[in-house]
Coordinates of all heavy atoms in Angstrom, one line a residue:
M1 N 8.8 5.6 -80.6 CA 7.5 5.3 -81.4 C 7.7 5.7 -82.8 O 8.2 6.7 -83.2 CB 6.4 6.0 -80.7 CG 5.2 5.2 -80.9 SD 3.8 5.7 -79.9 CE 3.6 7.5 -80.1
R2 N 7.2 4.8 -83.6 CA 7.3 5.0 -85.1 C 6.2 6.0 -85.6 O 5.1 5.9 -85.1 CB 7.1 3.7 -85.8 CG 7.6 3.6 -87.2 CD 7.7 2.1 -87.6 NE 6.4 1.6 -87.8 CZ 5.7 1.4 -88.8 NH1 6.4 1.8 -90.0 NH2 4.6 0.9 -88.9
K3 N 6.6 6.9 -86.3 CA 5.7 7.9 -86.8 C 5.1 7.5 -88.1 O 5.7 7.0 -89.0 CB 6.5 9.3 -87.1 CG 6.5 10.2 -85.9 CD 6.9 11.5 -86.3 CE 7.0 12.4 -85.1 NZ 7.8 13.7 -85.3
R4 N 3.8 7.6 -88.1 CA 3.1 7.3 -89.3 C 2.2 8.5 -89.8 O 1.7 9.2 -88.9 CB 2.1 6.1 -89.1 CG 2.8 4.8 -89.2 CD 1.7 3.7 -89.5 NE 0.6 3.7 -88.6 CZ -0.6 3.3 -88.9 NH1 -0.8 2.8 -90.1 NH2 -1.5 3.3 -88.0
K5 N 2.1 8.6 -91.1 CA 1.4 9.7 -91.6 C -0.1 9.3 -91.4 O -0.5 8.3 -92.1 CB 1.8 10.0 -93.0 CG 1.4 11.4 -93.4 CD 2.1 11.8 -94.7 CE 1.8 13.2 -95.0 NZ 0.4 13.5 -95.5
V6 N -0.8 10.1 -90.7 CA -2.3 9.8 -90.5 C -3.1 10.6 -91.5 O -3.0 11.7 -91.6 CB -2.7 10.1 -89.1 CG1 -4.1 9.7 -88.9 CG2 -1.8 9.4 -88.1
P7 N -4.0 9.9 -92.4 CA -4.8 10.6 -93.3 C -5.9 11.3 -92.5 O -6.4 10.9 -91.6 CB -5.4 9.5 -94.1 CG -5.1 8.3 -93.4 CD -4.1 8.4 -92.5
L8 N -5.9 12.7 -92.8 CA -6.9 13.5 -92.1 C -8.2 13.7 -93.0 O -8.1 13.8 -94.1 CB -6.3 14.9 -91.8 CG -5.2 14.9 -90.8 CD1 -4.7 16.3 -90.6 CD2 -5.6 14.3 -89.4
R9 N -9.2 13.8 -92.3 CA -10.5 14.1 -93.1 C -11.3 15.1 -92.2 O -11.1 15.3 -91.0 CB -11.4 12.8 -93.2 CG -10.8 11.8 -94.1 CD -10.7 12.1 -95.5 NE -10.3 11.1 -96.4 CZ -9.0 10.8 -96.7 NH1 -8.1 11.7 -96.1 NH2 -8.6 9.9 -97.4
M10 N -12.2 15.8 -92.9 CA -12.9 16.9 -92.3 C -14.3 16.3 -91.8 O -15.0 15.8 -92.7 CB -13.1 18.1 -93.1 CG -13.6 19.3 -92.3 SD -13.8 20.7 -93.4 CE -15.3 20.2 -94.3
C11 N -14.6 16.6 -90.6 CA -15.9 16.3 -90.1 C -16.9 17.4 -90.7 O -16.7 18.6 -90.6 CB -15.9 16.4 -88.6 SG -17.6 16.4 -87.9
I12 N -18.0 16.8 -91.3 CA -19.0 17.8 -92.0 C -19.7 18.5 -91.0 O -20.4 19.5 -91.3 CB -19.8 17.1 -93.1 CG1 -20.7 16.0 -92.4 CG2 -19.0 16.7 -94.2 CD1 -21.7 15.5 -93.3
S13 N -19.7 18.0 -89.7 CA -20.5 18.7 -88.7 C -19.7 19.8 -87.9 O -20.2 21.0 -87.9 CB -20.9 17.6 -87.7 OG -21.8 18.1 -86.7
C14 N -18.6 19.6 -87.5 CA -17.8 20.6 -86.7 C -16.7 21.2 -87.6 O -16.0 22.1 -87.1 CB -17.3 20.0 -85.4 SG -16.0 18.8 -85.6
K15 N -16.5 20.7 -88.8 CA -15.5 21.3 -89.7 C -14.0 21.1 -89.2 O -13.2 21.8 -89.7 CB -15.7 22.6 -90.1 CG -17.2 23.0 -90.4 CD -17.5 22.6 -91.8 CE -18.9 23.2 -92.3 NZ -19.6 22.3 -92.9
Q16 N -13.8 20.2 -88.4 CA -12.4 19.9 -87.9 C -11.8 18.8 -88.6 O -12.4 17.9 -89.0 CB -12.5 19.7 -86.4 CG -12.7 20.9 -85.5 CD -12.3 20.8 -84.1 OE1 -11.2 20.2 -83.8 NE2 -13.3 21.2 -83.2
M17 N -10.4 19.0 -88.8 CA -9.7 17.9 -89.5 C -9.4 16.9 -88.4 O -8.8 17.3 -87.3 CB -8.5 18.5 -90.1 CG -8.7 19.5 -91.2 SD -9.6 18.8 -92.5 CE -8.4 17.7 -93.4
R18 N -9.6 15.6 -88.7 CA -9.3 14.6 -87.7 C -8.7 13.3 -88.4 O -9.0 13.2 -89.6 CB -10.6 14.2 -87.0 CG -11.0 15.1 -85.9 CD -12.3 14.5 -85.3 NE -12.7 15.2 -84.2 CZ -12.1 15.0 -83.0 NH1 -11.2 14.0 -82.7 NH2 -12.7 15.6 -81.9
P19 N -8.0 12.5 -87.7 CA -7.5 11.3 -88.2 C -8.8 10.4 -88.7 O -9.8 10.3 -88.0 CB -6.8 10.6 -87.2 CG -6.4 11.7 -86.2 CD -7.5 12.7 -86.3
K20 N -8.7 9.8 -89.9 CA -9.7 9.1 -90.4 C -10.4 8.1 -89.5 O -11.6 7.9 -89.6 CB -9.1 8.4 -91.7 CG -9.8 8.6 -92.9 CD -9.1 7.9 -94.1 CE -10.0 6.8 -94.8 NZ -9.3 6.2 -95.9
Q21 N -9.5 7.4 -88.8 CA -10.0 6.4 -87.9 C -10.9 6.9 -86.7 O -11.5 6.1 -86.1 CB -9.0 5.4 -87.4 CG -7.9 6.1 -86.5 CD -6.7 6.5 -87.4 OE1 -6.8 6.9 -88.4 NE2 -5.5 6.3 -86.9
E22 N -10.9 8.2 -86.5 CA -11.7 8.8 -85.5 C -13.0 9.3 -86.0 O -13.8 10.0 -85.3 CB -11.0 10.0 -84.8 CG -9.7 9.5 -84.0 CD -9.0 10.7 -83.4 OE1 -9.4 11.7 -83.3 OE2 -7.8 10.4 -83.0
L23 N -13.3 9.0 -87.2 CA -14.5 9.5 -87.9 C -15.4 8.3 -88.3 O -14.9 7.3 -88.6 CB -14.1 10.4 -89.1 CG -13.3 11.7 -88.7 CD1 -12.5 12.1 -89.9 CD2 -14.1 12.8 -88.1
V24 N -16.6 8.6 -88.5 CA -17.5 7.7 -89.1 C -17.7 8.1 -90.6 O -17.9 9.3 -90.9 CB -18.9 7.8 -88.5 CG1 -19.9 6.7 -89.0 CG2 -18.9 7.7 -87.0
R25 N -17.5 7.1 -91.5 CA -17.7 7.5 -92.9 C -19.2 7.2 -93.3 O -19.7 6.0 -93.1 CB -16.8 6.7 -93.8 CG -16.8 7.0 -95.2 CD -15.7 6.5 -96.0 NE -15.6 6.9 -97.4 CZ -16.0 6.2 -98.5 NH1 -16.2 4.9 -98.3 NH2 -16.0 6.7 -99.7
I26 N -19.7 8.2 -94.0 CA -21.1 7.9 -94.5 C -20.9 8.0 -96.0 O -20.2 8.9 -96.5 CB -22.0 9.1 -94.0 CG1 -22.0 9.1 -92.5 CG2 -23.5 8.9 -94.5 CD1 -22.4 10.5 -91.9
V27 N -21.5 7.0 -96.7 CA -21.2 6.9 -98.1 C -22.5 6.9 -98.9 O -23.5 6.3 -98.5 CB -20.3 5.8 -98.5 CG1 -21.0 4.4 -98.2 CG2 -19.7 5.8 -99.8
R28 N -22.5 7.5 -100.1 CA -23.6 7.4 -101.0 C -23.2 6.7 -102.2 O -22.2 7.1 -102.9 CB -24.1 8.9 -101.4 CG -25.6 8.7 -102.1 CD -25.9 10.0 -102.7 NE -24.9 10.4 -103.7 CZ -25.0 11.5 -104.5 NH1 -26.0 12.4 -104.2 NH2 -24.2 11.8 -105.4
S29 N -23.9 5.7 -102.5 CA -23.5 4.8 -103.6 C -24.0 5.5 -104.9 O -24.8 6.5 -104.8 CB -24.1 3.4 -103.5 OG -25.5 3.6 -103.8
K30 N -23.6 4.9 -106.0 CA -24.0 5.5 -107.4 C -25.5 5.4 -107.4 O -26.1 6.2 -108.2 CB -23.4 4.7 -108.4 CG -22.0 5.1 -108.9 CD -21.7 4.6 -110.3 CE -21.8 3.1 -110.4 NZ -20.5 2.5 -110.9
E31 N -26.2 4.4 -106.8 CA -27.6 4.3 -106.9 C -28.3 5.3 -106.0 O -29.5 5.3 -106.1 CB -27.9 2.8 -106.5 CG -27.5 1.7 -107.5 CD -25.9 1.4 -107.3 OE1 -25.5 1.6 -106.2 OE2 -25.3 1.1 -108.4
G32 N -27.5 6.0 -105.2 CA -28.2 7.0 -104.3 C -28.6 6.4 -102.9 O -29.3 7.0 -102.2
N33 N -28.1 5.2 -102.6 CA -28.3 4.8 -101.3 C -27.3 5.3 -100.3 O -26.1 5.2 -100.6 CB -28.1 3.2 -101.2 CG -29.2 2.6 -102.2 OD1 -30.4 2.9 -102.1 ND2 -28.8 1.6 -102.9
I34 N -27.7 5.7 -99.2 CA -26.8 6.3 -98.2 C -26.7 5.3 -97.0 O -27.7 4.7 -96.6 CB -27.4 7.7 -97.7 CG1 -27.2 8.7 -98.9 CG2 -26.5 8.1 -96.4 CD1 -27.8 10.0 -98.7
D35 N -25.4 5.1 -96.7 CA -25.1 4.1 -95.8 C -24.0 4.4 -94.9 O -23.1 5.3 -95.3 CB -24.7 2.8 -96.5 CG -25.5 1.6 -96.1 OD1 -25.8 1.5 -94.8 OD2 -25.8 0.7 -96.8
I36 N -23.9 3.7 -93.8 CA -22.6 3.9 -92.9 C -21.6 2.9 -93.4 O -21.8 1.7 -93.6 CB -22.9 3.6 -91.4 CG1 -24.2 4.3 -90.9 CG2 -21.7 3.9 -90.5 CD1 -24.1 5.8 -90.8
D37 N -20.4 3.4 -93.6 CA -19.2 2.7 -94.1 C -18.3 2.3 -93.0 O -17.5 3.1 -92.6 CB -18.6 3.3 -95.3 CG -17.5 2.5 -95.8 OD1 -17.4 1.3 -95.6 OD2 -16.7 3.1 -96.6
L38 N -18.4 1.1 -92.5 CA -17.6 0.7 -91.2 C -16.2 0.5 -91.5 O -15.4 0.6 -90.6 CB -18.3 -0.4 -90.5 CG -19.7 -0.1 -89.8 CD1 -20.2 -1.3 -89.2 CD2 -19.5 1.0 -88.9
N39 N -15.9 0.1 -92.7 CA -14.4 -0.3 -92.9 C -13.8 0.6 -94.0 O -12.6 0.4 -94.3 CB -14.2 -1.8 -93.3 CG -15.2 -2.2 -94.4 OD1 -15.5 -1.3 -95.2 ND2 -15.4 -3.4 -94.5
G40 N -14.5 1.6 -94.4 CA -14.0 2.6 -95.3 C -13.7 2.1 -96.7 O -12.8 2.7 -97.5
K41 N -14.4 1.1 -97.1 CA -14.2 0.4 -98.3 C -15.2 0.6 -99.4 O -15.0 0.2 -100.5 CB -13.9 -1.1 -98.2 CG -12.6 -1.3 -97.2 CD -11.4 -1.4 -98.1 CE -10.2 -2.1 -97.2 NZ -9.7 -1.1 -96.3
K42 N -16.4 1.1 -98.9 CA -17.5 1.1 -99.9 C -17.2 2.3 -100.9 O -16.8 3.3 -100.6 CB -18.8 1.4 -99.1 CG -19.3 0.3 -98.4 CD -20.6 0.6 -97.7 CE -21.1 -0.6 -96.9 NZ -22.2 -0.3 -96.1
P43 N -17.5 1.9 -102.1 CA -17.4 2.9 -103.2 C -18.5 4.0 -103.2 O -19.6 3.7 -102.6 CB -17.6 2.1 -104.5 CG -18.4 1.0 -104.1 CD -18.1 0.7 -102.7
G44 N -18.2 5.1 -103.6 CA -19.2 6.2 -103.7 C -18.7 7.5 -103.0 O -17.5 7.5 -102.7
R45 N -19.5 8.5 -103.0 CA -19.1 9.7 -102.4 C -19.2 9.6 -100.9 O -20.2 9.3 -100.3 CB -20.0 10.8 -102.9 CG -19.6 12.2 -102.6 CD -20.7 13.2 -103.1 NE -20.3 14.5 -103.2 CZ -19.9 15.3 -102.1 NH1 -19.8 14.6 -100.9 NH2 -19.5 16.5 -102.2
G46 N -18.2 10.0 -100.2 CA -18.1 9.9 -98.7 C -18.2 11.2 -98.0 O -17.7 12.2 -98.5
A47 N -18.7 11.1 -96.8 CA -18.7 12.2 -95.9 C -18.3 11.7 -94.5 O -18.6 10.6 -94.2 CB -20.0 12.9 -95.8
Y48 N -17.6 12.5 -93.7 CA -17.2 12.0 -92.4 C -17.8 12.9 -91.3 O -17.9 14.0 -91.4 CB -15.6 12.1 -92.3 CG -14.9 11.2 -93.3 CD1 -14.8 11.6 -94.6 CD2 -14.5 10.0 -93.0 CE1 -14.1 10.8 -95.6 CE2 -13.8 9.1 -93.8 CZ -13.7 9.5 -95.2 OH -13.0 8.7 -96.0
I49 N -18.0 12.2 -90.2 CA -18.3 12.9 -89.0 C -17.6 12.2 -87.8 O -17.3 11.1 -87.8 CB -19.8 13.1 -88.6 CG1 -20.4 11.8 -88.0 CG2 -20.7 13.5 -89.8 CD1 -21.6 12.2 -87.1
C50 N -17.3 13.1 -86.8 CA -16.6 12.6 -85.6 C -17.5 11.6 -84.8 O -18.7 11.6 -85.0 CB -16.4 13.7 -84.6 SG -15.5 15.1 -85.3
Y51 N -16.8 10.7 -84.1 CA -17.6 9.9 -83.2 C -17.9 10.7 -81.9 O -17.3 10.5 -80.8 CB -16.7 8.7 -82.8 CG -16.8 7.4 -83.5 CD1 -15.9 7.1 -84.5 CD2 -18.0 6.7 -83.3 CE1 -16.1 5.9 -85.2 CE2 -18.2 5.5 -84.0 CZ -17.2 5.2 -85.0 OH -17.4 4.0 -85.7
A52 N -18.8 11.6 -82.0 CA -19.0 12.5 -80.9 C -20.5 12.8 -80.9 O -21.1 13.1 -82.0 CB -18.3 13.8 -81.0
Q53 N -21.1 12.8 -79.8 CA -22.6 13.1 -79.6 C -22.8 14.5 -80.1 O -23.8 14.7 -80.9 CB -23.0 13.0 -78.2 CG -24.5 13.0 -78.0 CD -25.2 11.8 -78.6 OE1 -24.9 10.7 -78.4 NE2 -26.2 12.1 -79.5
D54 N -22.0 15.5 -79.9 CA -22.3 16.8 -80.3 C -22.3 16.9 -81.8 O -23.1 17.6 -82.4 CB -21.1 17.8 -79.8 CG -21.2 18.1 -78.4 OD1 -22.2 17.7 -77.7 OD2 -20.3 18.7 -77.8
C55 N -21.4 16.2 -82.4 CA -21.4 16.3 -83.9 C -22.6 15.6 -84.6 O -23.1 16.0 -85.5 CB -20.1 15.7 -84.5 SG -18.7 16.7 -84.2
L56 N -23.0 14.5 -83.9 CA -24.2 13.9 -84.4 C -25.4 14.7 -84.2 O -26.3 14.8 -85.1 CB -24.3 12.5 -83.7 CG -25.6 11.7 -84.1 CD1 -25.7 11.4 -85.6 CD2 -25.7 10.3 -83.3
D57 N -25.6 15.3 -83.0 CA -26.7 16.2 -82.8 C -26.7 17.4 -83.8 O -27.8 17.7 -84.3 CB -26.6 16.7 -81.4 CG -26.9 15.6 -80.3 OD1 -27.4 14.6 -80.7 OD2 -26.6 15.8 -79.2
N58 N -25.6 17.9 -83.9 CA -25.5 19.1 -84.8 C -25.9 18.6 -86.3 O -26.5 19.4 -87.0 CB -24.1 19.6 -84.7 CG -23.9 20.8 -85.7 OD1 -24.7 21.7 -85.8 ND2 -22.8 20.8 -86.5
L59 N -25.4 17.5 -86.6 CA -25.6 17.0 -87.9 C -27.1 16.8 -88.2 O -27.6 17.2 -89.3 CB -24.9 15.6 -88.1 CG -24.8 15.1 -89.6 CD1 -23.8 15.9 -90.2 CD2 -24.3 13.6 -89.5
K60 N -27.7 16.2 -87.2 CA -29.3 16.0 -87.3 C -30.1 17.3 -87.4 O -30.9 17.4 -88.2 CB -29.8 15.3 -86.0 CG -29.6 13.7 -86.1 CD -30.5 13.1 -85.1 CE -29.7 12.8 -84.0 NZ -30.6 11.9 -83.0
N61 N -29.6 18.3 -86.7 CA -30.3 19.6 -86.5 C -30.0 20.5 -87.7 O -30.8 21.4 -88.1 CB -30.0 20.3 -85.3 CG -30.4 19.6 -84.0 OD1 -31.4 18.7 -84.1 ND2 -29.6 19.7 -82.9
S62 N -28.8 20.2 -88.3 CA -28.4 21.3 -89.3 C -28.7 20.9 -90.7 O -28.6 21.7 -91.7 CB -26.8 21.5 -89.2 OG -26.3 20.3 -89.6
N63 N -29.1 19.6 -91.0 CA -29.4 19.2 -92.3 C -28.1 19.2 -93.2 O -28.3 19.2 -94.4 CB -30.4 20.2 -93.0 CG -31.6 19.4 -93.5 OD1 -31.6 18.2 -93.3 ND2 -32.4 20.1 -94.2
V64 N -27.0 19.3 -92.7 CA -25.8 19.4 -93.5 C -25.5 18.1 -94.3 O -24.9 18.1 -95.4 CB -24.5 19.8 -92.6 CG1 -24.1 18.7 -91.7 CG2 -23.4 20.1 -93.5
L65 N -25.9 17.1 -93.8 CA -25.8 15.7 -94.5 C -26.7 15.7 -95.8 O -26.1 15.4 -96.9 CB -26.1 14.6 -93.6 CG -25.6 13.2 -94.0 CD1 -24.1 13.3 -94.2 CD2 -26.0 12.1 -93.0
A66 N -27.8 16.2 -95.6 CA -28.8 16.3 -96.8 C -28.1 17.3 -97.8 O -28.1 16.9 -99.1 CB -30.1 16.7 -96.4
S67 N -27.5 18.4 -97.5 CA -27.0 19.3 -98.4 C -25.7 18.7 -99.0 O -25.4 19.0 -100.2 CB -26.9 20.6 -97.9 OG -25.9 20.6 -96.8
T68 N -24.9 18.0 -98.2 CA -23.7 17.3 -98.7 C -24.1 16.4 -99.9 O -23.5 16.4 -101.0 CB -22.9 16.6 -97.6 OG1 -22.6 17.5 -96.7 CG2 -21.7 15.9 -98.1
F69 N -25.0 15.5 -99.6 CA -25.4 14.5 -100.6 C -26.5 14.9 -101.6 O -27.0 14.2 -102.4 CB -25.8 13.3 -99.9 CG -24.6 12.5 -99.2 CD1 -24.7 12.0 -97.9 CD2 -23.5 12.3 -100.0 CE1 -23.7 11.4 -97.3 CE2 -22.4 11.6 -99.4 CZ -22.5 11.2 -98.0
K70 N -27.1 16.1 -101.3 CA -28.1 16.7 -102.1 C -29.4 15.8 -102.3 O -29.9 15.6 -103.3 CB -27.6 17.0 -103.6 CG -26.5 18.1 -103.5 CD -26.1 18.6 -104.9 CE -25.1 19.8 -104.7 NZ -24.0 19.5 -103.9
Q71 N -29.6 15.1 -101.2 CA -30.9 14.3 -101.1 C -31.4 14.2 -99.7 O -30.6 14.5 -98.7 CB -30.6 13.0 -101.7 CG -29.8 12.0 -101.0 CD -29.5 10.8 -101.7 OE1 -28.9 10.7 -102.8 NE2 -30.1 9.7 -101.2
R72 N -32.5 13.8 -99.5 CA -33.1 13.6 -98.2 C -32.3 12.4 -97.5 O -32.1 11.4 -98.1 CB -34.5 13.2 -98.2 CG -35.4 13.7 -97.1 CD -36.8 13.1 -97.3 NE -36.8 11.7 -97.1 CZ -36.9 11.0 -96.0 NH1 -36.8 11.6 -94.9 NH2 -36.9 9.7 -96.0
I73 N -32.2 12.6 -96.1 CA -31.4 11.7 -95.4 C -32.4 10.8 -94.6 O -33.2 11.4 -93.7 CB -30.3 12.3 -94.5 CG1 -29.4 13.1 -95.3 CG2 -29.6 11.2 -93.7 CD1 -28.7 12.4 -96.4
D74 N -32.4 9.6 -94.7 CA -33.2 8.7 -93.9 C -32.9 8.7 -92.4 O -31.7 8.7 -92.0 CB -33.1 7.2 -94.4 CG -34.2 6.4 -94.0 OD1 -34.6 6.4 -92.8 OD2 -34.8 5.7 -94.8
E75 N -33.8 8.8 -91.6 CA -33.6 8.9 -90.1 C -32.8 7.8 -89.6 O -32.0 7.8 -88.6 CB -35.0 9.0 -89.4 CG -35.1 9.4 -88.0 CD -34.6 10.8 -87.8 OE1 -34.6 11.6 -88.7 OE2 -33.9 11.0 -86.7
R76 N -32.9 6.6 -90.3 CA -32.1 5.4 -90.0 C -30.7 5.6 -90.0 O -29.9 4.9 -89.2 CB -32.5 4.4 -91.2 CG -32.0 3.0 -91.0 CD -32.5 2.3 -92.2 NE -31.9 2.8 -93.5 CZ -30.7 2.4 -94.0 NH1 -29.9 1.6 -93.4 NH2 -30.3 3.0 -95.1
I77 N -30.2 6.5 -90.7 CA -28.7 6.7 -90.8 C -28.3 7.4 -89.5 O -27.2 6.9 -88.9 CB -28.4 7.8 -92.0 CG1 -28.6 7.1 -93.3 CG2 -26.9 8.2 -91.9 CD1 -27.8 5.8 -93.6
Y78 N -29.0 8.3 -89.0 CA -28.7 8.9 -87.7 C -28.8 7.8 -86.6 O -27.9 7.9 -85.7 CB -29.5 10.1 -87.4 CG -29.5 11.3 -88.5 CD1 -30.6 11.6 -89.2 CD2 -28.3 11.8 -88.6 CE1 -30.5 12.6 -90.2 CE2 -28.2 12.9 -89.6 CZ -29.2 13.2 -90.4 OH -29.2 14.2 -91.3
E79 N -29.7 7.1 -86.8 CA -29.9 6.0 -85.6 C -28.7 5.0 -85.7 O -28.4 4.6 -84.6 CB -31.3 5.2 -85.9 CG -32.4 6.0 -85.5 CD -33.8 5.5 -86.0 OE1 -33.7 4.3 -86.5 OE2 -34.8 6.1 -86.0
Q80 N -28.3 4.8 -86.8 CA -27.1 3.8 -87.0 C -25.9 4.5 -86.3 O -25.2 3.8 -85.5 CB -26.8 3.5 -88.4 CG -27.7 2.4 -89.0 CD -27.3 2.0 -90.4 OE1 -26.2 2.1 -90.7 NE2 -28.2 1.7 -91.2
I81 N -25.7 5.7 -86.5 CA -24.6 6.4 -86.0 C -24.6 6.5 -84.5 O -23.8 6.2 -83.7 CB -24.3 7.8 -86.6 CG1 -24.1 7.7 -88.1 CG2 -23.1 8.5 -85.9 CD1 -24.2 9.0 -88.8
Q82 N -25.9 6.8 -84.0 CA -26.2 6.8 -82.6 C -25.9 5.4 -82.0 O -25.3 5.4 -80.9 CB -27.7 7.2 -82.4 CG -28.0 7.4 -80.9 CD -27.3 8.6 -80.3 OE1 -27.5 9.7 -80.8 NE2 -26.5 8.3 -79.3
K83 N -26.2 4.4 -82.6 CA -26.0 3.1 -82.1 C -24.5 2.8 -81.9 O -24.0 2.4 -80.9 CB -26.6 2.0 -83.0 CG -26.8 0.7 -82.4 CD -27.8 -0.2 -83.2 CE -27.6 -1.6 -82.8 NZ -26.6 -2.3 -83.6
L84 N -23.7 3.2 -82.9 CA -22.3 3.1 -82.8 C -21.7 3.9 -81.7 O -20.9 3.4 -81.0 CB -21.6 3.6 -84.1 CG -21.7 2.8 -85.4 CD1 -21.2 3.5 -86.6 CD2 -21.1 1.5 -85.3
L85 N -22.2 5.1 -81.5 CA -21.7 6.0 -80.4 C -22.0 5.2 -79.0 O -21.2 5.3 -78.1 CB -22.4 7.3 -80.4 CG -21.9 8.4 -81.3 CD1 -22.8 9.6 -81.3 CD2 -20.5 8.7 -80.9
N86 N -23.3 4.7 -78.9 CA -23.7 4.1 -77.7 C -22.8 2.9 -77.4 O -22.5 2.6 -76.2 CB -25.2 3.7 -77.8 CG -26.1 4.8 -78.0 OD1 -25.7 6.0 -77.7 ND2 -27.3 4.6 -78.2
E87 N -22.5 2.2 -78.4 CA -21.7 0.9 -78.2 C -20.2 1.3 -77.9 O -19.4 0.5 -77.3 CB -21.7 0.1 -79.5 CG -23.0 -0.6 -79.6 CD -23.3 -1.2 -81.0 OE1 -22.4 -1.1 -81.8 OE2 -24.3 -1.9 -81.2
G88 N -19.8 2.6 -78.4 CA -18.5 3.0 -78.1 C -17.4 2.2 -78.8 O -16.2 2.2 -78.5
D89 N -17.8 1.7 -79.9 CA -16.9 0.8 -80.7 C -16.4 1.6 -81.8 O -16.8 1.7 -82.8 CB -17.7 -0.4 -81.2 CG -16.8 -1.3 -82.1 OD1 -15.5 -1.2 -81.9 OD2 -17.4 -2.1 -82.9
I90 N -15.1 2.1 -81.5 CA -14.5 2.9 -82.6 C -13.3 2.1 -83.3 O -12.8 2.6 -84.2 CB -14.0 4.3 -82.0 CG1 -12.8 4.1 -81.2 CG2 -15.1 5.1 -81.3 CD1 -12.0 5.3 -81.0
N91 N -13.1 1.0 -82.8 CA -12.1 0.2 -83.6 C -12.8 -0.7 -84.5 O -12.8 -1.9 -84.3 CB -11.2 -0.6 -82.5 CG -10.5 0.4 -81.6 OD1 -9.8 1.3 -82.1 ND2 -10.5 0.1 -80.4
I92 N -13.1 -0.2 -85.6 CA -13.8 -0.9 -86.5 C -13.0 -1.4 -87.7 O -11.9 -0.9 -87.9 CB -15.2 -0.3 -87.0 CG1 -14.8 1.2 -87.2 CG2 -16.3 -0.6 -86.0 CD1 -16.1 2.0 -87.6
Ligands
ZN101 ZN1 -17.0 16.7 -85.6

């Protein structure tokens, strides 16, 4: 098997380093809009969390996303991640 260097990113919820493709990227644009970045291409400041229910729950309860982006996080963002988790679609 061919070895490839996998870029690692830290989950802001559990603080573990994981391959980028196992994480959901959340991005804040210059305008201050927070969004889920499904293909990792959106410009702006990014944060990552695992595709895991525990990490999402912890993220919701801990307010860590709000402190990362220094602004209030719309409930909609968590709902979108929840939807992704429910669909189990990690090959995006
Ligand atoms: Zn995590």
Side-chain angles (χ1 to χ4, degrees):
M1 209 162 54
R2 204 164 63 100
K3 271 193 182 165
R4 272 203 311 155
K5 203 164 180 293
V6 184
L8 296 177
R9 294 291 182 271
M10 191 182 74
C11 168
I12 58 168
S13 182
C14 66
K15 313 281 192 226
Q16 290 198 43
M17 299 298 288
R18 285 177 168 279
K20 235 174 123 179
Q21 62 266 37
E22 293 177 16
L23 300 157
V24 186
R25 183 167 187 251
I26 304 154
V27 71
R28 190 190 66 181
S29 72
K30 273 203 302 240
E31 294 76 31
N33 297 317
I34 292 177
D35 230 326
I36 310 293
D37 183 12
L38 291 179
N39 53 27
K41 298 272 193 287
K42 285 186 184 169
R45 191 185 191 298
Y48 295 83
I49 80 151
C50 306
Y51 264 104
Q53 189 66 53
D54 284 354
C55 286
L56 178 59
D57 290 344
N58 180 47
L59 195 70
K60 277 200 257 188
N61 298 331
S62 69
N63 232 10
V64 67
L65 200 54
S67 62
T68 299
F69 289 132
K70 298 188 171 55
Q71 69 182 68
R72 209 185 68 81
I73 306 301
D74 200 311
E75 199 57 32
R76 185 181 62 88
I77 294 299
Y78 299 118
E79 283 165 14
Q80 278 183 34
I81 300 171
Q82 185 64 64
K83 196 161 162 280
L84 288 172
L85 278 176
N86 294 346
E87 287 166 357
D89 177 18
I90 70 161
N91 295 313
I92 40 180

